[in-house]
Amino acid sequence: MTPSSSPVIGIIGGSGLYQIDGLTDVSWRQVSSPFGAPSDALCFGTLEGTPVVFLPRHGRGHRVPPSEINFRANIDALKRAGVTDVLSVSAVGSLREDLPPGTFVVVDQFIDRTFAREKSFFGTGCVAHVSVAKPVCRRLGDAVMDACGDVTIAARRGGTYLVMEGPQFSSLAESELYRAWGCSVIGMTNMPEAKLAREAELCYASVAMVTDFDSWHPGHDAVTVDQVVSVMHANSGKARALVKNVVPRLGGHAGPCVHGCQRALDHALITAPEARDPAMLAKLDAVAGRVLKR
Ligand SMILES: CSC[C@H]1O[C@H](OP(=O)(O)O)[C@H](O)[C@@H]1O
Ligand SMILES: Nc1ncnc2[nH]cnc12
């Protein structure tokens, strides 16, 4: 994949986004990855002329819990499917009074508190260090904000998403700690997804749909799945409208990402060429083929 390829939009659907409206020429296809099994087959289709690949993050029927999602296989499979831009959609709890349930937050920072997940495609035999100082693509975020405006969704630009391991919701003390850190929302899935998208040189943006006030809120002393699911149903119609509106905007984009997402590996590899492990390089053909082949 060269940085100037025409856009193919990947949508990773979280809790509440299990399908895309208006998709034509739909086919579900298994895409295998050297990193293991993705959460499900990938759904290929076209939305107003733009190719789209949809992946339900937890699999169809929400079978896979956050800690068992094979994030590497998901991102690698999307890259193999030709995806250039990934839009992630997630349910989150709110850590701020001014982000009530129903609000969509186009997050721009993460604090990664996960500890039981594979976080890199690279490792012994081929070491790389990419920057995630700015972990999301501003061009994608702009398009999402414009699309939210068109379909009158209450959206906030910017915010920090605290990624917890789960699957239990947070304790009151944890929730208050994350508030003291200035975080905006909390969820269990956007890391290492965003880090891996950066390693794979994919543009990535995340829309966090608030379903609840996390456990800190005086009116809600415990988060429950019932509560999350009922708001999630209300959010999911809006999420589908947003996706339908944003895809043609992203599809109209020409040329490589001006923010450099598609060149993230240019200065990241540190292992000397003669010290690289051929088996490792073979696994990295999709993710890092652009820089490994030169
Ligand atoms: C159903 S509530 C908890 C669940 O929802 C979020 O997942 P996603 O980001 O895929 O929408 C949260 O992170 C938890 O995995
Ligand atoms: N309060 C919360 N904590 C973690 N993940 C969530 N997903 C939705 N609500 C959440």
Side-chain angles (χ1 to χ4, degrees):
M1 185 66 40
T2 63
S4 57
S5 302
S6 30
V8 177
I9 314 306
I11 308 287
I12 302 181
S15 310
L17 185 69
Y18 300 113
Q19 65 183 68
I20 306 284
D21 289 350
L23 213 54
T24 55
D25 311 315
V26 176
S27 72
W28 285 85
R29 283 183 250 153
Q30 297 286 347
V31 174
S32 54
S33 161
F35 294 95
S39 297
D40 206 329
L42 271 48
C43 175
F44 292 76
T46 306
L47 195 56
E48 294 182 25
T50 300
V52 173
V53 182
F54 172 67
L55 174 62
R57 181 183 283 120
H58 302 271
R60 280 169 284 183
H62 204 120
R63 293 171 294 101
V64 189
S67 306
E68 286 173 40
I69 294 171
N70 188 337
F71 291 99
R72 294 196 302 179
N74 286 355
I75 295 294
D76 181 68
L78 289 172
K79 179 96 185 187
R80 283 176 197 282
V83 164
T84 54
D85 303 71
V86 174
L87 180 62
S88 152
V89 181
S90 287
V92 293
S94 171
L95 296 167
R96 293 171 52 140
E97 192 78 59
D98 63 347
L99 297 175
T103 310
F104 283 29
V105 184
V106 181
V107 297
D108 61 356
Q109 283 295 330
F110 299 99
I111 293 182
D112 184 1
R113 294 260 303 167
T114 65
F115 50 81
R117 305 173 187 195
E118 295 282 1
K119 298 200 183 189
S120 178
F121 290 110
F122 299 91
T124 304
C126 189
V127 179
H129 303 281
V130 296
S131 169
V132 286
K134 293 181 182 161
V136 297
C137 176
R138 214 169 69 224
R139 179 176 59 81
L140 257 58
D142 290 343
V144 171
M145 288 307 293
D146 290 346
C148 282
D150 278 0
V151 289
T152 57
I153 291 171
R156 261 332 155 77
R157 183 76 193 260
T160 299
Y161 174 135
L162 185 297
V163 196
M164 62 181 295
E165 186 61 48
Q168 300 83 4
F169 294 116
S170 44
S171 70
L172 179 55
E174 287 165 336
S175 197
E176 302 221 320
L177 175 67
Y178 306 148
R179 273 167 58 71
W181 285 353
C183 299
S184 312
V185 295
I186 180 165
M188 305 177 192
T189 62
N190 277 201
M191 283 295 178
E193 189 175 89
K195 288 175 175 166
L196 294 167
R198 177 58 51 81
E199 286 189 347
E201 301 194 313
L202 298 170
C203 294
Y204 179 92
S206 170
V207 180
M209 309 181 297
V210 176
T211 52
D212 54 277
F213 282 113
D214 199 42
S215 49
W216 65 274
H217 198 277
H220 308 260
D221 60 5
V223 182
T224 66
V225 166
D226 283 359
Q227 178 193 339
V228 168
V229 167
S230 76
V231 180
M232 207 172 81
H233 285 316
N235 283 346
S236 80
K238 291 194 283 182
R240 294 202 308 276
L242 168 61
V243 167
K244 200 171 167 192
N245 198 279
V246 81
V247 165
R249 289 173 188 278
L250 297 174
H253 175 80
C257 173
V258 290
H259 303 296
C261 306
Q262 295 162 345
R263 294 205 162 271
L265 292 175
D266 270 0
H267 307 288
L269 295 178
I270 190 159
T271 308
E274 63 280 9
R276 293 177 187 165
D277 171 11
M280 180 81 163
L281 301 187
K283 284 176 77 171
L284 290 166
D285 62 335
V287 162
R290 186 184 72 80
V291 286
L292 291 174
K293 278 181 206 132
R294 39 180 206 209

